[in-house]
């Protein structure tokens, strides 16, 4: 008796929204070609701005001039970030750039994006009530003695 195989669940694609968070460093040594420092996709505008603020607060280790360090702290602590948060909620990009020493600079950029999230199908159920979808099991049924495989 021939039976058709059970249909396998398909991979499901879900459309999701997020925020691409990117930090790039530019320098004369590489012809001002962007060098990636950080790249992630965050779920909400608040998450993206939170990460940006934390990185700006610790940016003094980047070798900033005092004026640029003051700009970074002012933006992160005194409300400059509020306008960026509003822009992300409106679906607009936002960013912040700091000048480093010797002509180098670093740029934070956040932009809304839509992407597909793929989820794998659940594993097939195992047990005596369910047949394995990829063929018969290699272990004998309960109560049946095992027979060795012959070459």
């Amino acid at each position: 008796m021939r039976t058709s195989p059970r249909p396998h669940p398909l991979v499901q694609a879900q459309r999701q929204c997020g925020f691409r968070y990117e930090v790039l460093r530019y320098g004369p040594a590489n012809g001002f070609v962007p060098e990636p420092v950080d790249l992630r996709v965050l779920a909400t505008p608040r998450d993206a701005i939170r990460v940006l603020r934390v990185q700006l607060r610790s940016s003094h280790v980047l070798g900033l001039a005092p004026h640029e360090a003051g700009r970074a702290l002012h933006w992160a602590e005194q409300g400059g970030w509020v306008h960026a948060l509003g822009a992300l909620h409106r679906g607009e990009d936002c960013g912040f750039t700091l000048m480093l020493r010797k002509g180098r600079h670093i740029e934070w950029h956040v932009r809304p994006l839509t992407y597909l999230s793929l989820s794998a199908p659940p594993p097939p159920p195992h047990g005596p009530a369910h047949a394995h979808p990829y063929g018969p099991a290699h272990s004998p049924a309960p109560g049946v003695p095992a027979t060795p495989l012959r070459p």
Side-chain angles (χ1 to χ4, degrees), residues 12-126:
Q12 294 181 0
Q14 295 179 341
R15 183 177 164 207
Q16 301 209 351
C17 295
F19 295 85
R20 179 185 168 110
Y21 179 88
E22 183 175 40
V23 183
L24 300 171
R25 186 178 321 144
Y26 299 85
N30 62 359
F32 291 100
V33 174
E35 174 189 346
V37 176
D38 193 358
L39 176 63
R40 31 181 130 174
V41 174
L42 299 162
T44 67
R46 187 165 290 283
D47 292 341
I49 296 300
R50 182 180 303 119
V51 171
L52 200 157
R53 290 178 68 199
V54 166
Q55 288 185 358
L56 284 179
R57 285 186 198 117
S58 60
S59 63
H60 63 279
V61 299
L62 297 172
L64 296 176
H67 173 72
E68 290 295 292
R71 274 188 56 231
L73 286 175
H74 186 269
W75 190 91
E77 298 293 333
Q78 303 298 322
W81 58 271
V82 173
H83 297 291
L85 182 62
L88 291 176
H89 276 289
R90 289 188 304 271
E92 301 170 3
D93 296 6
C94 70
F96 195 83
T97 302
L98 287 174
M99 297 303 296
L100 305 174
R101 297 179 193 263
K102 298 181 183 173
R104 297 174 297 142
H105 62 279
I106 190 164
E107 174 183 277
W108 287 263
H109 189 239
V110 183
R111 69 174 177 212
L113 63 93
T114 302
Y115 61 96
L116 288 178
S117 173
L118 302 177
S119 62
H126 295 316

